[in-house]
Structures are given as structure tokens and as C-alpha cells.
Amino acid sequence: MRNKNQRNLSFFLLSFSFTIGFLLAQDPVPPGTQLDSIVVDTTVVDTIVVRRIQEKIKNIPRGVNLTIPEVSFKKTKALTEKPKRFRVPSFWTRLNKLGLNLSEVAFVNWNAGGDNSISALGNASFARNYKFRYIQWDNELRFRYGINVQEGQQIRKTDDLIRFSSTFGYQRDTISNWYYSVKANFNTQFSNGFKYPDRTTPISRFMSPGYSFLGAGTSYITKDQRFNLYISPVTQKATFVFDQDLADRGAFGVQKAIFDADGNIIQQGENVFLEFGFLVNNTWETQLSKNMGLKHRLNLYTDYLRRFGNVDIDWELNFNLKVNEYIVTTIGTHLIYDDDILFDEQVNAEGVVIDPGEPRIQFKQLLGVGVSYDF
């Protein structure tokens, strides 16, 4: 058996040698052709293998709490608030606010004396603001009316306001706070105003006066929209006096009527007085503390054509102290100076004005506690 295996091995080696020789004899490369050579790096580098012994994984037993797969609603509570409905996102923001301030004084057998009185001041404000990319459009409408009832006297008006403001702004990029702006303002009052106790001759009425401002300029508006500075070098101011009696007297700066020697009207007074000048308007809102807010509005205007440098001032400053969600204490001041509004007019027996009077600073202070509701 061994000899047989040796013969088989010898036959295999002989066949392999014959095959290799035949292949070498059939080499297709012509003689004299230079073959490409490959340099083989035979340098032997010793390799050191560092092995780290792996720490044995510790078996940390954990307890398993088995619960009964049972559904129970015993601990389920009803929602405290109604679920909010889904609304499509809008670029409009709105504000609706109603408020009523009351103050009352009553006396019963009061030795120091005094009259019972009650005062009420109602106010409402509505805002609709649009903001999308480079465009911002702010609109605000405000109403305010106050009365006072005092024992032994008729009802007297303490406050009266209708004001509308609209500002359209366009900014070149979203990084800057500066806008190219167009602004329109309008304000007047609801009912007649008197110089009490005289109730026969009104000193102001609805649209007497009425003021409108229309101009273009630039605005600086912060990202939170709480600070707004508007500067307009081209603004037209219009003063409306639609009550003809007030217009004939030349109230609020309009051209008064022309009278003859007997006091008869030759030419009626004008109902509109136009000015062209420079306007600066600033509004600012901030929270001084958690329950105390401040709101400021300043309006400065000077006319180019008549007396440039003579500035009309309209400044409001209000502090709102919030007691809770609905109870609010308001402390406010309002200062106005307009050289077209004259005081202490003197008229002779024939009804002819002999002294038109002089302009004065108008100042109003407000302190009230009331309710406020936003929706």
C-alpha cells in the first residue's frame, strides 16, 4: 500500500512539472520586450498587539412590577379649560379692551360738610395690526367719555375723546428697525363742551374742533412693537370747525367772520384751517413691574408757513396698576398746548370780540379704580 501511494505522488509531481514547462514554452511576450517591474518592499516590521482585558459584565438584578391589564377611569379628571380650537395662522394681531372707572363720595350727617357725588369714566380701545416680512400696518381706534353727577348740580362732562390712528410702514430688510412710513391721525369729541356753569354757549362740539394729520416720513419700531418713533418732515394738519357759530368767532384758529359796524356778518367764518409742517410722534409701552405698566404718547407739531418753531404739544402719560385680572387702578396725566386755542375771550355789548384772548397750557389729571376686560 505504501509503494502504491509513493507511485501516485511521483506521477502527480511529474504531471505538474510537465504542465509548468509547457506553459513557459508558450510565453506570448516577444523576446527583447521590456516588462513593467513592481518594487516589492520586503522590510519586515515587528507588530506589537496590545490587548485589554474586558471587565466582566455585572449582573444587576431589577425588580419587575406586574400590573393587572385593566382600564380604569376612576382617577380621570375633567378638563378645567375648554380645548382651544385650531385656527389658521394669521399675520394680523388684534386687541379689544373695555374699561370703566368709578369714584363715589357720600355723606350722612357729616359735620365738615360736602356734597354727594359720583363720577364715571368709560373707555374702549380696538387695535388691528398686520405684520409680514417687510410690511407693517398698525391701526388703533379709541373712545373715552366721562361724566360727573354732584348733588345740587346737573350732569357735567369730564372727558370726551374719539381718536383714530393708522400707520403703514415698509422696511428694506428684516434686520433694521427703520421703516418708510405713512401716517394718518384723526381726533374729535362726542358731545358739546361748556365752560360751567354756563350751559347755553358751547365752546366745543362734535367736529368742532376735529383734527387730522396726514404725512410721510420714517419710523423706528422695535421688534416687540412697544416703542415707535415717527418723524415726518412733510405733514398736513387740518383743523375742522363745522359749527358755524364757533367758526364765525374764529375758534381753534380758523378764519373768523367779517362783521360790519352794526355787528352783522358780511362774510361767514371758514370751517377748515390747513397747515403744513413737521411732525414727531412717539409711543412707548413697558412693564415697570409685574403688576404696573406705563404707556406714553407724545405728539409735537410745528408749522412751516405761519410760525416755524412754535410747537404744538399733545402728551399723555398713564400708569396702570393691575390688582387682578379685571380690577385696574389708573393714574394718568394729559398736557396740551396749542396756540390756536385761546382763553379769556372778551366781547363787548354788541357781541364784537374786542380781545381774542391768549393760548394757555391745558392740563388734566386722572386717578381712578375700575374694571377692565380684554377680548
Side-chain angles (χ1 to χ4, degrees):
M1 187 71 179
R2 184 176 180 181
N3 294 331
K4 184 178 181 181
N5 291 335
Q6 288 180 355
R7 287 196 301 270
N8 292 335
L9 179 60
S10 298
F11 178 78
F12 174 76
L13 292 177
L14 180 62
S15 299
F16 180 76
S17 299
F18 177 80
T19 303
I20 293 299
F22 177 79
L23 292 175
L24 292 177
Q26 299 296 325
D27 189 2
V29 179
T33 302
Q34 185 176 357
L35 299 177
D36 294 336
S37 58
I38 299 176
V39 179
V40 180
D41 188 2
T42 57
T43 305
V44 178
V45 179
D46 296 337
T47 303
I48 302 176
V49 179
V50 178
R51 298 183 181 275
R52 181 182 178 186
I53 300 175
Q54 183 177 2
E55 297 181 359
K56 185 177 180 181
I57 299 176
K58 298 181 180 179
N59 183 20
I60 302 176
R62 292 182 175 87
V64 178
N65 295 326
L66 300 177
T67 58
I68 300 175
E70 181 179 318
V71 179
S72 174
F73 295 97
K74 293 182 178 180
K75 297 183 179 180
T76 304
K77 296 181 179 180
L79 295 176
T80 57
E81 297 180 358
K82 293 180 63 177
K84 296 182 179 180
R85 296 178 58 186
F86 172 77
R87 293 184 177 181
V88 178
S90 173
F91 301 109
W92 287 91
T93 58
R94 66 178 187 175
L95 171 66
N96 304 310
K97 187 173 183 180
L98 301 177
L100 178 64
N101 292 342
L102 297 172
S103 63
E104 182 263 347
V105 178
F107 302 93
V108 177
N109 300 324
W110 193 252
N111 182 58
D115 295 326
N116 300 332
S117 67
I118 182 172
S119 297
L121 174 63
N123 59 82
S125 61
F126 307 94
R128 298 292 184 271
N129 302 325
Y130 177 85
K131 172 65 176 174
F132 177 67
R133 298 187 67 184
Y134 307 112
I135 296 177
Q136 180 162 329
W137 186 20
D138 298 335
N139 302 275
E140 183 183 26
L141 179 63
R142 297 190 64 187
F143 302 103
R144 196 165 62 231
Y145 197 83
I147 59 173
N148 173 263
V149 181
Q150 191 169 345
E151 186 179 6
Q153 295 181 354
Q154 297 181 3
I155 295 177
R156 295 187 176 187
K157 182 177 69 172
T158 59
D159 202 351
D160 195 353
L161 174 70
I162 302 174
R163 178 186 293 140
F164 173 74
S165 175
S166 179
T167 304
F168 181 86
Y170 173 81
Q171 61 179 161
R172 298 182 61 182
D173 56 70
T174 57
I175 299 176
S176 174
N177 291 329
W178 288 97
Y179 290 77
Y180 300 108
S181 298
V182 177
K183 190 178 186 69
N185 284 353
F186 172 79
N187 60 281
T188 184
Q189 62 190 49
F190 285 100
S191 61
N192 296 349
F194 299 93
K195 188 176 182 180
Y196 299 107
D198 182 10
R199 292 178 176 272
T200 59
T201 306
I203 60 175
S204 62
R205 308 186 75 171
F206 175 73
M207 287 301 295
S208 299
Y211 298 100
S212 71
F213 294 87
L214 178 62
T218 183
S219 296
Y220 181 87
I221 307 174
T222 57
K223 300 299 182 184
D224 58 5
Q225 301 185 19
R226 291 182 175 272
F227 181 88
N228 188 323
L229 175 63
Y230 171 75
I231 302 173
S232 172
V234 285
T235 296
Q236 182 189 64
K237 176 184 177 183
T239 304
F240 305 95
V241 183
F242 288 167
D243 183 85
Q244 196 58 50
D245 292 336
L246 293 173
D248 291 341
R249 290 157 47 189
F252 309 105
V254 299
Q255 183 66 40
K256 64 181 180 180
I258 299 176
F259 299 86
D260 59 12
D262 298 328
N264 299 317
I265 297 178
I266 300 175
Q267 181 179 347
Q268 290 185 335
E270 296 183 0
N271 300 109
V272 180
F273 173 51
L274 298 177
E275 299 175 85
F276 184 77
F278 190 96
L279 175 67
V280 175
N281 178 271
N282 175 234
T283 58
W284 178 45
E285 295 183 41
T286 186
Q287 285 294 125
L288 300 178
S289 62
K290 181 179 179 180
N291 296 323
M292 184 176 182
L294 178 147
K295 188 171 183 179
H296 145 90
R297 183 188 65 85
L298 177 64
N299 202 74
L300 304 175
Y301 180 80
T302 183
D303 181 41
Y304 289 131
L305 306 178
R306 298 176 61 208
R307 282 183 293 175
F308 181 73
N310 181 71
V311 180
D312 297 337
I313 303 173
D314 187 351
W315 180 31
E316 280 188 275
L317 184 64
N318 294 292
F319 296 89
N320 295 320
L321 289 78
K322 194 170 184 179
V323 179
N324 55 34
E325 185 177 358
Y326 300 106
I327 306 300
V328 177
T329 299
T330 303
I331 304 174
T333 61
H334 193 179
L335 183 147
I336 296 177
Y337 177 81
D338 189 340
D339 65 331
D340 296 322
I341 302 177
L342 305 179
F343 294 86
D344 295 336
E345 179 186 80
Q346 297 182 12
V347 183
N348 61 14
E350 290 78 18
V352 179
V353 178
I354 59 176
D355 186 359
E358 60 182 1
R360 291 183 179 177
I361 294 177
Q362 306 172 56
F363 181 77
K364 181 181 66 177
Q365 186 268 333
L366 169 68
L367 173 60
V369 178
V371 294
S372 178
Y373 176 66
D374 298 348
F375 62 97

